[in-house]
Amino acid sequence: MATNVQKITLSPSRDIPFNKLLLSQSNVRRIKAGVSIEELAEDIARRGLLQGLSVRPVVDDAGVETGMFEIPAGGRRYRALELLVKQKRLARTAPVPCVLREGGIAEEDSLAENVQRAPLHPLDQFRAFLALREKGQPEEEIAAAFFVSVGVVKQRLRLASVSPVLLEVYAEDGMTLDQLMAFTVSGDHARQEQVFDRLKTSYDKQPYAIRRMLTEGAVRACDKRAQFIGLEAYVEAGGTILRDLFQGDDGGWLQDVALVDRLVAEKLKAESDAVVGEGWKWVEMAPDFAYGHTYGLRQLRGETIPLTTEEEASRDALQAEYDRLSAEYAEADELPQDVGARLGEIETAIEAFEARPITFDPAEVARAGAFVSIAHDGAVRVERGYVRPEDELPVEPEVAAEDAGPHHIAAAAMRSGEAVMADAPAPEPEEDEGLSAISDRLMTELTSHRTLGLRQALGERPDVAFLAALHALTLKSFYRYGSDSCLELDLKSIAFSAQAPGLNDSASAEAIHARHEGWVKVLPKDSADLWEALREWESDTRSGLFAHVVSLSVNAVHEAWNRRPRALNHADQLARAVDLDMAAAGWKPTVDNYLGRVTKARILQAVSEAKEPRAAERIAHLKKGEMAREAEALLADTGWLPEPLRGAEPAVGEEMAAQDGTTAMGEDESLEDTEDTTDIPPAVAAE
């Protein structure tokens, strides 16, 4: 026998004037959440009321309806309508669509309406935004209609444009939203699906791993080559840029590497052609040169073009303004924005006055050349005025005897044919021969005595000895010919046989180059004037130059064919003395400079030391290349260093001295504070 199913009856709906409605105390929503009342009011004003209110008649004590209706469900919509009425954008008697409820419990109606409401799946929202965009609605209008930023709209549109295969996986909860965001880095659906297939067999499915796989082989926008050609020029040439809308990407990734290389070559050629027009004998160009590519070449010393009267007046005015603003806001905790901007403008303008162009002797330009490359910040780097050894003029003869000191007289005599062989006894001159030249043998003997006298006297004058050593080493470092000193001191600055990746663009290389060029500007052009210039300098300036030239001779390179254990031990001591920190100096482990060139065990050891063993376990299953790339991301900004770059442990003797608070110099390492032992014999002083 069939059972009759009882049919349900829906609550009737009717339009009720707004002024007949009021909020109910039965509404369970007490805490504000979601879209604000103001935004909801604007949405109603634009689209109308999309969902009616659930109301119940208000009755008096006798149970008679009063003509008013309370709202247990829909209070936010009521408040939005109330706001529109207060703004006089809606009439007080405007009809409001309502569902009239009579049975049941008012609180149950309010709770059911909120609990049973199913939120929209994010993918449905992404696709809805895409549908609006495809129907011609601009992104700005979409953002205004849904009270979000244009950036949020772009993000949702990008998510909707991911490969449909991946979107279906996301819809079935086979992928997290963060993983889907990572796939938006590339717009190539085939590439996205390829990486997703690789991800199935990968232990590490983190978003950063997805981004790294999608950008393999691309050129980062922060790469100096990309900065050199400019992103606009790259895009105009047909290149595409991969962007990450969900986290910082430093400008994205340039996908067409061949196009980048072609644009770099074309722009470098144009820059080098301009340098060739200056008259140089040769010009070499490359995106990068090996560190030390100028070793063995003489650098020309040009003349800086002086400022004109007008330029000097402008510079002085800018400096005065800078000093005034600095003094005025010296005590301020934070500079006003306009003042800070103005100070930056003044600094830039003053630096432009200081960076004056340099002119060279046309005769020297005709036998010298220049290097054109890309600096670490993407600017063009032009190194002008380098002379190759084969282009040098023949060495000029020694100075004439009348212009030389006593040690040149013998050489002059030999050139005139008046001297005899040094190892043959020289005949004594006859009385009537007059003032003939001193024999070479006698000159050698006399100057031998003078050399010993100089040695003894110089050994008692540390200040002059320091000046003489500085003079000799500076000649070796900055001048082509280092024979202007009688000191048999030498200074070698090795060229690196193995060029480490990025060596020429490292922070240390840039700092050394800038410091060297700074000294070039203050040293005299002629080596004959160097001694007097050094004598006139303050002691701090001389010490700074001495530190620089000595630093150029440091060789702490380990080479398999050149075993120097004691020298490398001294390098450790030197590193401790200067508190060397290679991480602070800018070195970071990358695939190119370390991780891609060691075993998997060392990669895992590095990650374990810098992070934790669990982090190493997460990448242990990967292949060597992928493991190195993941390790680079994990080690970034951790300050981790491989053993050869870490600070060496002090030797036993040094450690004991440190515990005692003493050094080889005594209680204090400062020369100024040590006891004067000038008049003490060496053996006693040593004791």
Side-chain angles (χ1 to χ4, degrees):
M1 178 178 175
T3 303
N4 293 328
V5 179
Q6 185 176 1
K7 302 294 190 295
I8 63 173
T9 302
L10 299 178
S11 299
S13 61
R14 57 182 286 193
D15 291 343
I16 301 175
F18 175 79
N19 59 353
K20 297 297 183 180
L21 300 173
L22 52 85
L23 286 176
S24 171
Q25 296 300 317
S26 301
N27 195 316
V28 298
R29 186 186 291 275
R30 296 286 188 268
I31 301 172
K32 294 181 179 180
V35 181
S36 68
I37 299 300
E38 292 78 7
E39 292 177 353
L40 182 57
E42 292 297 329
D43 188 75
I44 294 174
R46 181 176 181 273
R47 270 185 284 264
L49 190 63
L50 299 179
Q51 183 180 359
L53 307 180
S54 177
V55 300
R56 288 176 177 271
V58 177
V59 297
D60 57 16
D61 295 338
V64 180
E65 294 185 5
T66 62
M68 299 295 292
F69 298 85
E70 63 178 359
I71 307 170
R76 295 181 65 254
R77 280 162 279 160
Y78 172 79
R79 291 186 183 279
L81 294 170
E82 184 180 40
L83 179 60
L84 293 173
V85 170
K86 290 180 180 179
Q87 295 174 347
K88 302 188 181 302
R89 301 167 68 185
L90 180 69
R92 292 184 59 82
T93 57
V96 179
C98 299
V99 175
L100 186 60
R101 296 276 297 163
E102 292 183 350
I105 303 173
E107 285 83 358
E108 184 181 359
D109 292 348
S110 177
L111 181 62
E113 183 183 83
N114 288 281
V115 172
Q116 295 180 8
R117 179 187 302 155
L120 190 67
H121 192 281
L123 182 56
D124 293 328
Q125 186 185 90
F126 306 155
R127 287 170 170 165
F129 273 59
L130 182 60
L132 294 175
R133 184 68 183 86
E134 291 175 346
K135 291 181 179 180
Q137 192 167 359
E139 296 170 355
E140 292 75 11
E141 290 187 12
I142 298 175
F146 292 95
F147 307 100
V148 295
S149 67
V150 176
V152 171
V153 174
K154 291 181 181 293
Q155 289 177 340
R156 293 172 182 174
L157 292 175
R158 178 69 68 85
L159 288 166
S161 66
V162 173
S163 167
V165 175
L166 273 63
L167 291 180
E168 290 304 320
V169 174
Y170 172 61
E172 298 298 327
D173 296 330
M175 181 188 304
T176 67
L177 180 58
D178 286 338
Q179 289 173 322
L180 185 65
M181 291 177 180
F183 276 104
T184 64
V185 168
S186 173
D188 186 345
H189 287 182
R191 177 65 174 156
Q192 292 173 351
E193 294 169 12
Q194 180 186 19
V195 170
F196 180 70
D197 289 338
R198 288 175 56 187
L199 209 64
K200 293 178 182 178
T201 59
S202 174
Y203 177 77
D204 192 356
K205 298 179 174 62
Q206 295 297 321
Y208 73 83
I210 298 173
R211 290 184 174 91
R212 184 173 295 278
M213 293 178 191
L214 288 169
T215 57
E216 285 176 347
V219 178
R220 294 194 69 93
C222 58
D223 187 282
K224 70 177 186 178
R225 293 171 295 168
Q227 297 181 52
F228 176 64
I229 61 177
L231 299 184
E232 293 182 2
Y234 169 77
V235 173
E236 289 177 1
T240 57
I241 300 178
L242 307 180
R243 295 302 306 267
D244 191 343
L245 297 182
F246 298 94
Q247 69 175 26
D249 59 5
D250 292 328
W253 297 265
L254 282 64
Q255 195 170 14
D256 195 337
V257 181
L259 178 60
V260 171
D261 292 338
R262 178 171 66 82
L263 294 176
V264 167
E266 291 174 354
K267 188 171 182 180
L268 271 177
K269 181 64 168 58
E271 296 286 354
S272 63
D273 287 345
V275 178
V276 169
E278 299 174 7
W280 301 101
K281 180 177 181 180
W282 53 267
V283 175
E284 290 187 12
M285 69 171 190
D288 192 18
F289 288 105
Y291 183 80
H293 61 283
T294 60
Y295 285 174
L297 306 181
R298 177 170 64 92
Q299 184 177 7
L300 301 182
R301 306 289 294 278
E303 297 290 342
T304 303
I305 299 177
L307 295 172
T308 63
T309 305
E310 294 77 8
E311 288 173 333
E312 287 184 353
S314 299
R315 183 193 61 184
D316 294 342
L318 288 170
Q319 187 64 52
E321 182 182 0
Y322 185 89
D323 294 341
R324 178 179 60 79
L325 290 175
S326 299
E328 184 177 350
Y329 293 94
E331 303 298 329
D333 295 333
E334 186 175 354
L335 289 176
Q337 185 174 359
D338 57 336
V339 175
R342 178 55 183 163
L343 287 174
E345 293 173 358
I346 296 174
E347 288 179 350
T348 302
I350 293 177
E351 288 176 0
F353 281 117
E354 298 298 332
R356 304 293 297 166
I358 298 176
T359 59
F360 298 91
D361 184 350
E364 291 186 318
V365 170
R367 63 173 178 271
F371 298 94
V372 180
S373 60
I374 305 174
H376 70 285
D377 58 355
V380 61
R381 173 191 287 154
V382 181
E383 300 169 282
R384 295 177 174 86
Y386 288 91
V387 183
R388 292 167 173 164
E390 60 268 25
D391 295 327
E392 291 285 2
L393 294 177
V395 179
E396 296 182 0
E398 292 289 339
V399 295
E402 58 269 22
D403 298 328
H407 52 291
H408 286 294
I409 298 177
M414 291 182 67
R415 288 195 299 270
S416 64
E418 298 176 1
V420 296
M421 298 298 294
D423 56 352
E428 294 295 333
E430 299 294 336
E431 290 297 332
D432 58 354
E433 290 182 3
L435 295 177
S436 60
I438 298 178
S439 68
D440 184 47
R441 178 60 177 269
L442 180 57
M443 180 60 68
T444 300
E445 294 176 357
L446 293 176
T447 52
S448 297
H449 285 284
R450 186 169 185 263
T451 297
L452 283 182
L454 275 174
R455 289 181 180 181
Q456 194 280 333
L458 192 62
E460 295 184 348
R461 291 290 303 275
D463 55 334
V464 180
F466 173 81
L467 180 60
L470 175 59
H471 175 257
L473 297 179
T474 303
L475 287 171
K476 297 286 186 181
S477 302
F478 291 92
Y479 298 90
R480 173 65 178 174
Y481 308 107
S483 59
D484 293 4
S485 172
C486 66
L487 271 62
E488 294 293 338
L489 295 180
D490 198 5
L491 183 139
K492 296 179 182 179
S493 189
I494 67 162
F496 297 97
S497 56
Q499 282 291 322
L503 187 66
N504 200 30
D505 286 329
S506 65
S508 296
E510 292 289 337
I512 292 172
H513 177 75
R515 188 172 63 209
H516 192 83
E517 291 301 312
W519 286 116
V520 168
K521 293 178 182 178
V522 299
L523 287 170
K525 184 176 181 180
D526 192 341
S527 61
D529 301 326
L530 178 62
W531 177 263
E532 291 301 325
L534 295 178
R535 287 189 60 191
E536 295 174 359
W537 283 4
E538 297 290 337
S539 60
D540 290 344
T541 307
R542 289 199 296 258
S543 298
L545 176 59
F546 183 78
H548 174 68
V549 296
V550 169
S551 71
L552 298 179
S553 69
V554 173
N555 179 9
V557 178
H558 175 273
E559 295 170 313
W561 54 270
N562 185 17
R563 300 292 184 180
R564 303 179 304 132
R566 293 186 178 182
L568 296 181
N569 287 339
H570 176 250
D572 292 338
Q573 296 173 334
L574 190 61
R576 289 192 295 271
V578 298
D579 297 324
L580 178 64
D581 184 349
M582 289 301 298
W587 193 92
K588 294 182 180 180
T590 66
V591 174
D592 293 333
N593 67 16
Y594 182 76
L595 299 170
R597 303 166 67 182
V598 295
T599 62
K600 294 176 66 174
R602 283 198 174 274
I603 298 176
L604 296 175
Q605 179 189 33
V607 174
S608 181
E609 291 177 354
K611 306 291 285 187
E612 57 180 355
R614 189 180 306 172
E617 293 172 1
R618 286 199 293 266
I619 65 173
H621 68 287
L622 299 176
K623 294 182 178 179
K624 169 70 177 298
E626 191 172 352
M627 178 188 291
R629 289 189 292 270
E630 299 301 336
E632 179 179 340
L634 291 171
L635 296 176
D637 302 324
T638 62
W640 181 87
L641 296 171
E643 291 89 342
L645 299 185
R646 299 176 187 174
E649 294 296 328
V652 177
E654 290 181 282
E655 187 174 359
M656 293 178 61
Q659 293 174 354
D660 295 338
T662 61
T663 67
M665 294 291 296
E667 295 296 329
D668 192 327
E669 290 187 356
S670 173
L671 285 172
E672 287 80 358
D673 295 334
T674 57
E675 183 180 356
D676 185 4
T677 60
T678 302
D679 297 325
I680 303 177
V684 179
E687 293 179 5

